[in-house]
Amino acid sequence: MTSEGLLLRPSASPLMCVVAQKVRVEEELEAYPNESVDLRCQFIDGGGRTKLTQVSWIWEPSDGQRDNIAVYHPIYGQSFPNVAFKDRVVFLHNTLENPSIRISNLKMSDAGRYTCEYATYPSGNEQGTTTLVMLAKPKNSARVVTVQAGTKSVVVAQCEAVDGKPAATIKWQTSLGGNHSTSTTSGPDGTVTVRSEYRLVPTPTDNGRELMCMVEQRTQERPWVYPVTLSVEYPPSVSIEGYDHNWYVGRSDAVLTCLANANPPPTTVTWTAASGLLPDTVVVDGNKLVVRKVDDAVNTTFICEVRNKHGASREQITTVVIEALEEPVSPGVVAGAVIGSLLALLLVVTLIAVLLTRGRSGGSNSGDYGNKARLLFGNKNGTGANNNGPAVYAYRESCEGSGALSEKSNDFHHHHRPPSAGNPPSAHDILLSGDVGEAERRKFHMDDSMEDEEEQYDRFGGGGDILPPAYHMGRGHGEEMDVYLDDDMESQRDGSVISRTAIYV
């Protein structure tokens, strides 16, 4: 941008005429302390008839007088009359047409109006003015103010922007129900310090809550944001945990824990008993009270007292000792007992089912074979000779399962052999019969015909050759018929031995 300087000069006539000359400068510049700034100036002569004799830079502070800080003459050279700018101001080109200067190591007090003024002939003086705005980035900070919980509104946080130019704006972002106040202080160099305080009535629940300080200022590309965590101090509040109402005699390592909510943290934790001294089985470990062995001595009231710099608080709990017949069963033992019971129950059900099945089977057989007879053939006299008729022995089983061996008829005899007197052969005699050959054993075979069993059996004593219907005796080459038994014998409950080839009738 350009600024035109106008010079009014009187003429011979009462009329005034204005001759315009142009001096090109920048209207406004911004700079920061300790930095440098270039003030540009250029004379524009449209017709080329103006003669430049000298150029000067004049500084006018916002609250002071005008003063030359730099002068350039084509014959006499450069001059810097103001001591405050000495060694900080230089000409960039050393020409009257472009007398731009540079100011280094800027100070906030350097702010003001800078005028580039030409001395010309025949026009006189021409000038252009640049306003230098000094900016300062504020030094932002925020901090918490530690307070004690109470009933009055107090400052809990502060935020400030120090030595900024222009002045900063401070805002608070929070969900707390407090309010804030802001104040400003101007510095000697034109800077401004802004302070803001946040207030509320602090409670223990406000401790640790957060609020944000936000600073906005022209020199910052984005707002400066800083979180503040409140610090509210209060005396302890105490609670006791760990008692489960199951302190039985003999229980070991029962623990009570004293919990305290306090800011600052508790300095001391003290355990006592309402009955006096702590029982011998009790051990104190910090905020824990450990009962090594529960007995009647711990059937009392335990008191926990916690203290910090703002005061003390206590809590108590009454423990009741109960009698316990048995140690509490662990969940694993209970689970094992349940599983074992289920397996035992399953085994019992299985045994009952098996017994019922056998009972039904036995009842069915007893109907058909209530009385079973085993017919045994052998030598009646038990001597081993095959000269006597076969003896028939019947083994009968009753419904109760008991049986006895009896002789049904022992008067079997061959038609040309009279029966011999004597006792019927025993099973041992039959087994000792050694004159029965394998070929003779095969002469006996089963007959599927079982009709009229009882009638046929009764005729065995008539001396004929009729055998029970379940048997047919094969005859050999001679007249005699020998009856043999299988040597596969089995023992009976009464001590006797009976052949397994016996037939039930």
Side-chain angles (χ1 to χ4, degrees):
M1 302 180 63
T2 61
S3 176
E4 297 180 354
L6 300 178
L7 178 64
L8 298 179
R9 60 182 180 86
S11 61
S13 64
L15 296 178
M16 300 293 293
C17 132
V18 178
V19 178
Q21 297 291 335
K22 294 182 179 181
V23 179
R24 180 177 295 174
V25 294
E26 293 178 285
E27 184 176 358
E28 183 178 285
L29 290 175
E30 293 179 350
Y32 295 90
N34 302 318
E35 295 182 355
S36 300
V37 65
D38 292 342
L39 301 179
R40 296 178 178 87
C41 179
Q42 184 178 6
F43 185 85
I44 300 175
D45 185 5
R49 297 187 301 271
T50 303
K51 183 177 179 180
L52 304 177
T53 58
Q54 179 177 295
V55 63
S56 302
W57 281 95
I58 304 171
W59 171 57
E60 182 181 0
S62 57
D63 56 351
Q65 299 295 322
R66 290 165 57 95
D67 192 9
N68 286 336
I69 61 172
V71 178
Y72 178 76
H73 190 277
I75 297 176
Y76 300 106
Q78 303 175 2
S79 174
F80 305 98
N82 192 308
V83 177
F85 286 90
K86 188 176 182 179
D87 299 330
R88 295 196 300 131
V89 179
V90 295
F91 283 96
L92 296 178
H93 302 289
N94 288 327
T95 64
L96 291 175
E97 290 77 11
N98 189 0
S100 299
I101 62 174
R102 173 174 293 169
I103 304 176
S104 302
N105 298 322
L106 289 172
K107 304 176 182 179
M108 292 301 299
S109 57
D110 292 340
R113 292 165 55 88
Y114 289 81
T115 301
C116 178
E117 184 177 83
Y118 278 94
T120 67
Y121 180 84
S123 301
N125 294 340
E126 302 287 347
Q127 64 183 13
T129 301
T130 298
T131 300
L132 177 63
V133 178
M134 292 299 298
L135 301 178
K137 294 181 179 180
K139 302 175 184 65
N140 303 322
S141 64
R143 67 184 186 91
V144 64
V145 178
T146 300
V147 298
Q148 185 176 353
T151 58
K152 296 181 179 180
S153 178
V154 295
V155 176
V156 296
Q158 292 179 338
C159 186
E160 61 183 10
V162 179
D163 294 336
K165 187 178 180 181
T169 301
I170 298 179
K171 298 179 181 179
W172 293 93
Q173 294 180 341
T174 181
S175 59
L176 297 172
N179 54 68
H180 69 278
S181 59
T182 303
S183 62
T184 60
T185 302
S186 297
D189 55 359
T191 61
V192 180
T193 297
V194 181
R195 291 183 176 87
S196 182
E197 297 178 335
Y198 196 90
R199 295 174 173 267
L200 57 76
V201 178
T203 64
T205 58
D206 293 326
N207 183 53
R209 299 184 67 179
E210 190 175 87
L211 66 161
M212 309 289 289
C213 172
M214 182 173 66
V215 178
E216 296 177 340
Q217 205 259 359
R218 178 177 176 180
T219 62
Q220 300 175 167
E221 295 181 0
R222 60 182 62 87
W224 179 86
V225 178
Y226 190 85
V228 177
T229 302
L230 297 186
S231 175
V232 180
E233 295 184 346
Y234 48 89
S237 61
V238 183
S239 63
I240 298 176
E241 294 184 355
Y243 181 59
D244 57 1
H245 301 276
N246 191 30
W247 283 26
Y248 53 87
V249 175
R251 177 176 174 177
S252 59
D253 293 335
V255 180
L256 296 179
T257 303
C258 184
L259 301 179
N261 180 20
N263 186 31
T267 55
T268 60
V269 178
T270 305
W271 283 96
T272 58
S275 58
L277 297 177
L278 292 175
D280 295 336
T281 58
V282 170
V283 177
V284 175
D285 182 12
N287 67 330
K288 296 181 181 297
L289 184 145
V290 181
V291 180
R292 296 301 186 191
K293 203 74 172 180
V294 175
D295 54 18
D296 291 336
V298 297
N299 195 29
T300 184
T301 298
F302 292 103
I303 303 170
C304 175
E305 182 178 273
V306 180
R307 181 181 297 274
N308 71 356
K309 70 177 186 179
H310 294 295
S313 181
R314 60 170 53 191
E315 180 65 14
Q316 65 183 32
I317 188 170
T318 300
T319 57
V320 178
V321 177
I322 61 176
E323 296 292 335
L325 297 178
E326 297 180 357
E327 292 287 336
V329 181
S330 64
V333 175
V334 173
V338 171
I339 295 175
S341 300
L342 292 177
L343 292 176
L345 180 60
L346 180 61
L347 179 60
V348 171
V349 171
T350 303
L351 291 176
I352 292 174
V354 171
L355 291 177
L356 290 176
T357 303
R358 290 184 176 180
R360 292 174 182 174
S361 175
S364 174
N365 293 336
S366 64
D368 296 335
Y369 304 101
N371 292 319
K372 299 179 181 179
R374 292 185 179 180
L375 301 185
L376 305 179
F377 298 87
N379 294 328
K380 187 174 182 180
N381 56 9
T383 61
N386 197 19
N387 55 358
N388 293 329
V392 179
Y393 296 91
Y395 179 82
R396 296 189 179 273
E397 293 180 339
S398 64
C399 295
E400 290 78 5
S402 62
L405 182 65
S406 62
E407 180 178 348
K408 177 66 177 179
S409 175
N410 59 356
D411 55 354
F412 285 107
H413 55 85
H414 200 268
H415 64 278
H416 65 277
R417 287 185 183 179
S420 61
N423 296 326
S426 65
H428 182 69
D429 296 334
I430 297 174
L431 290 175
L432 295 178
S433 179
D435 58 344
V436 180
E438 181 66 22
E440 293 297 324
R441 295 176 186 270
R442 297 176 181 173
K443 294 178 181 179
F444 297 93
H445 60 274
M446 299 291 294
D447 189 352
D448 295 335
S449 171
M450 297 291 292
E451 62 182 1
D452 299 330
E453 292 177 348
E454 296 296 331
E455 180 179 355
Q456 296 291 337
Y457 184 79
D458 291 340
R459 296 204 304 265
F460 288 170
D465 294 337
I466 302 174
L467 294 176
Y471 293 86
H472 289 278
M473 298 181 182
R475 297 183 181 273
H477 297 286
E479 293 289 336
E480 297 179 352
M481 177 186 67
D482 295 327
V483 180
Y484 305 98
L485 293 176
D486 192 292
D487 59 351
D488 186 10
M489 308 302 287
E490 64 178 333
S491 300
Q492 301 300 309
R493 297 178 180 176
D494 58 355
S496 62
V497 182
I498 301 176
S499 174
R500 294 180 179 176
T501 58
I503 305 300
Y504 289 92
V505 295

